[in-house]
Amino acid sequence: LFFPPPPPPPPVLAWASISFFRQALLLDSSPLLLMAHNSDFRREPLLEYYSQKGFEVGGIRMDIAMDTVPATESSDAATELPHAIQFLNCGPGVKDQVCRSAKYDCVRQCGDGVGQPCPGQVSWHPGWRYHKLKGSLLATIVLEALQEAATRYQTYTMEMGPDLDPELYSYPSKEERPLPPSFKCGSMSLDAEFCDTRFSCATTFEPHVGQSLQDLVEPPPQPGRLQSDASMSQRYHSEPSGWQVSLAPGEGDNTIHCTGHLDAKKNILGRKGDGWLVLRTPKLTRGLLLLCEGPFSARMAKKVQFLNTSGNTVLEVDGQRTHFQRKVPKSLCSVVSDGLSPATHTVAFKATEEVLTGFSFLVWA
């Protein structure tokens, strides 16, 4: 008897990829949609969908890229390969323990602690060599796009002079090229009504574009200045706030230690006795407010607690105690509220336990 093979499983798509792409397309500019992924979570359908709709896309499959990296056949043979790809793939002549150890063999190249191990690499981390390979491949796509733009610009200016007609380089407006229907957005994470909502955020991560969380911190009331919510403000500021923006314990400062990154994944952190952290949101349009925590490693090490409004943290919105409405699946984000009025709002936090807690992003729409 002949039994036909089972149908292939449906593609698995991370909600973050869908959300990030959609948010990029809601910008005023026309971005290049770029993605790095593995065969474990195939995302070609997402790229193909927007490519067919006329948007510029690009991507790399890291599993295919890794197949092109020559295997390290022995510890002695490793020296014959460029340092960046040594032990990325290991042949049968290399013990698993040696290969695994070499994967994290990264030292600081400059700044404080030259020669010391790079921070931030944990057991599930693919290692610094893998990350540098991925970054180089993604950078190549961006550089090729820039080269194409420069070539076109050179051709146009040689034929028409330096003052070009804007029609030659302007991107289509939303009216000329409307957004296609959202790709699986409502079925993955946020409610469908927010799939085409343009979000804004403030963060403590560095570097960043736009507002910092510190820009939203409400200062204590000025003496003699009238405020419509003076009693609430006085209650929040009856004691100094000890909440601070800093790296979580155990998180390495990549900027200082010159590990090849320029990022500093800072949090705004507080513990019992630090008083209230009071934020004033910009004016909301859709009434949606989310809070996102990170980075993850300090919480896994239990040096920083996950923020829990039913346990270690009191949360108030406009002076009224409340709780997170729900968690956003497969993320470190929680919905504070999706039904606030189209106005500015006061969001206040007070830690109730000795272990640090905090967050890194406030997202609104």
Side-chain angles (χ1 to χ4, degrees):
L1 294 174
F2 172 73
F3 294 94
V12 178
L13 292 163
W15 74 267
S17 304
I18 296 170
S19 301
F20 289 157
F21 269 31
R22 200 64 180 175
Q23 285 299 303
L25 294 173
L26 290 169
L27 295 172
D28 295 329
S29 59
S30 185
L32 167 65
L33 302 176
L34 191 58
M35 180 183 292
H37 59 113
N38 297 304
S39 59
D40 294 343
F41 298 97
R42 294 187 64 250
R43 294 172 172 85
E44 281 94 341
L46 181 59
L47 291 171
E48 292 168 359
Y49 177 77
Y50 283 112
S51 176
Q52 292 168 1
K53 302 299 181 182
F55 295 91
E56 297 292 335
V57 305
I60 57 172
R61 278 274 298 272
M62 285 304 297
D63 57 318
I64 295 176
M66 289 292 288
D67 287 342
T68 68
V69 175
T72 301
E73 298 296 346
S74 68
S75 296
D76 292 337
T79 58
E80 300 175 5
L81 297 173
H83 189 248
I85 62 172
Q86 292 175 10
F87 301 100
L88 260 180
N89 286 329
C90 291
V94 180
K95 294 181 179 179
D96 287 344
Q97 184 178 358
V98 173
C99 191
R100 198 172 294 118
S101 174
K103 183 168 70 169
Y104 305 113
D105 182 20
C106 170
V107 295
R108 300 171 185 171
Q109 301 296 317
C110 59
D112 296 338
V114 172
Q116 296 298 312
C118 299
Q121 297 190 115
V122 290
S123 59
W124 46 264
H125 193 283
W128 69 275
R129 288 185 174 90
Y130 179 94
H131 271 225
K132 280 200 169 184
L133 176 62
K134 180 189 288 189
S136 297
L137 292 173
L138 289 171
T140 299
I141 298 175
V142 175
L143 290 172
E144 287 177 347
L146 288 172
Q147 183 180 39
E148 166 116 11
T151 301
R152 290 189 187 184
Y153 180 78
Q154 182 183 42
T155 301
Y156 289 148
T157 53
M158 289 177 66
E159 295 177 358
M160 306 176 208
D163 298 322
L164 297 179
D165 185 340
E167 292 294 327
L168 291 172
Y169 55 83
S170 62
Y171 48 83
S173 66
K174 295 294 189 288
E175 291 73 25
E176 295 169 324
R177 187 178 62 186
L179 285 179
S182 178
F183 187 87
K184 295 183 178 293
C185 175
S187 64
M188 301 295 289
S189 55
L190 292 178
D191 298 336
E193 64 178 300
F194 295 116
C195 290
D196 285 326
T197 298
R198 182 170 169 175
F199 292 94
S200 299
C201 81
T203 180
T204 49
F205 278 20
E206 296 175 358
H208 63 260
V209 175
Q211 291 177 299
S212 163
L213 272 176
Q214 293 161 290
D215 297 330
L216 304 185
V217 174
E218 183 182 85
Q222 299 297 319
R225 183 177 177 182
L226 295 177
Q227 292 180 285
S228 58
D229 54 359
S231 60
M232 181 176 66
S233 182
Q234 289 172 0
R235 177 167 65 88
Y236 288 148
H237 296 290
S238 61
E239 56 182 323
S241 176
W243 289 72
Q244 295 183 350
V245 173
S246 65
L247 292 165
E251 294 289 344
D253 189 332
N254 294 317
T255 305
I256 294 175
H257 296 313
C258 302
T259 58
H261 305 274
L262 297 177
D263 61 307
K265 297 177 181 178
K266 296 181 179 179
N267 295 248
I268 190 161
L269 299 168
R271 53 165 51 99
K272 182 179 180 180
D274 283 340
W276 289 93
L277 168 68
V278 186
L279 304 179
R280 189 73 173 174
T281 73
K283 184 176 180 180
L284 308 186
T285 55
R286 294 294 300 274
L288 178 64
L289 190 64
L290 297 93
L291 176 147
C292 300
E293 302 177 62
F296 192 57
S297 53
R299 288 164 174 78
M300 284 293 289
K302 298 183 180 179
K303 295 178 180 179
V304 177
Q305 294 187 96
F306 286 101
L307 201 151
N308 180 1
T309 60
S310 297
N312 58 32
T313 306
V314 175
L315 168 65
E316 292 189 1
V317 176
D318 297 329
Q320 300 297 314
R321 183 162 185 179
T322 187
H323 299 281
F324 291 145
Q325 288 189 350
R326 61 187 181 278
K327 296 286 290 184
V328 178
K330 298 182 180 179
S331 77
L332 294 177
C333 300
S334 301
V335 177
V336 176
S337 178
D338 60 6
L340 295 172
S341 62
T344 62
H345 295 272
T346 299
V347 186
F349 305 85
K350 188 173 187 177
T352 59
E353 295 183 6
E354 294 293 340
V355 180
L356 285 168
T357 189
F359 54 98
S360 302
F361 292 84
L362 194 68
V363 183
W364 64 88

